[in-house]
Amino acid sequence: MAQTLLPGSVLAMTDQAADRLLRLDSGDAALLYLHFLRHGDLSHLTWSQQRLDTALDQLKKLGMAPEQPPVSAPPVPEAPPPEYSLEDITAALKENTSTFPALCDEVERRLGKKLSANDLRSLYTLYDHLALPAEVVLMLVGWCTEEMERKYGPGRRPFLSQIKKEGFVWARQGIDTMERAEAHLQRLTHLRGREAQVLRLLDIPPHPLVSQERTYIAAWDDMGFDDGALRMAYEKTVLKKQSMDWGYMNGILRRWHQKGLHTAAAIQAGDRDPRPLRAGQPPQGAPADQEKRTRENMERMRRMLDQMKKEG
C-alpha cells in the first residue's frame, strides 16, 4: 500500500504560505520555498543560475524569500564517469533483464549507423553512470537530432559524444523522467520559436544564437515580458548605447521586472521619473506623447546612421 506521508521529521508551513504558492502556480518557486524550509540556504541546490534567479524573484514578490540573499555552498565537484572497458559493454549487452541492448538497437536505427566501441561507451555512460532511463535517452537523442538538422540541414546526425554532453546538462537539471523530459522539450521548443520572434523585435537578422543571447531571451520569457515591453527596452537601449547591447537591455528589463512591470502599457504608466519637478519645468507628457518622441528619436538616429554610411 502506498504511503501518503513518508516517515521522518516534519516541515511546518502556514496555510497563508501554502495559499500564496498555490495562487502563484509556479513549481520552481514552491520547490525553492520548501528547500529554504528544509535547509535554510541554497546548500545542496544544483539549479542553474537562471532557474534560481527566476524562482527567487517570484518568492521576493510574495514576500516569502529570506531577508538576506542566501549564500550557496560551493558546488560539489561532479564525479567523472567510469572508464568503461569493452568487457563492461559486452556484459551489459548480454544482460537479459537490461534495457540497454534494445536501447542500442533503437539508437542505431535513429542515427542510421552501426555504433562504434566509443559510441557504446558514451551511450552506456548515459544509461549507467547518469542513470537516465532508456526512454529519456531516446528523447535526448531525438532532440539532439532535431537540433542538428535544424542547424545544418536534413540528414545531418549528431555524434554520440555530442549527445552525451547534452545528457550531462539534462542530468544536472534533474531531467531524469519522461514527464520531466517532456516538459523540458516543450520549454525548449517554445524558446526556439520565441528566439526568432525576439530577433525580429530587435531588428536583428536571423542567426544561430550564442549561449549568452539564448540565456537572456529565456530569462526575459521567464519574467513574462510581452513584445511591446521588449521593443521599448530595445529602443531605450539603442538611444542610450547607439547600438544593441544585450547586457544593458537586460538591466532595463530586470528593473522593470522588480517593479512588476511586464507590458508596454504598465511600463508607460509606472516607469516614470520619481524625481520632483524643478520650478518652471514642464510636466512629462502623456504615455502616447512619450512613445511618439521615442519613435521620432529612433527615426532621426536611423537617418543619421544612413547618412554616415553614405558619406563613408
Side-chain angles (χ1 to χ4, degrees), residues 262-311:
H262 300 94
T263 66
I267 292 164
Q268 289 171 343
D271 191 38
R272 298 194 178 117
D273 192 341
R275 294 172 296 182
L277 295 176
R278 297 189 300 272
Q281 180 180 356
Q284 293 292 326
D289 294 335
Q290 295 173 359
E291 182 179 357
K292 180 180 179 181
R293 284 196 298 271
T294 298
R295 290 176 177 172
E296 289 174 350
N297 289 336
M298 288 290 294
E299 185 60 33
R300 185 162 53 252
M301 186 183 68
R302 290 193 184 100
R303 290 196 298 267
M304 291 174 59
L305 291 174
D306 291 340
Q307 185 63 31
M308 291 172 63
K309 290 179 181 179
K310 292 177 180 178
E311 293 176 355

Side-chain angles (χ1 to χ4, degrees), residues 73-94:
V76 178
E78 193 173 82
E83 292 290 338
Y84 293 110
S85 65
L86 287 178
E87 289 76 14
D88 295 328
I89 303 300
T90 301
L93 290 171
K94 292 181 178 179

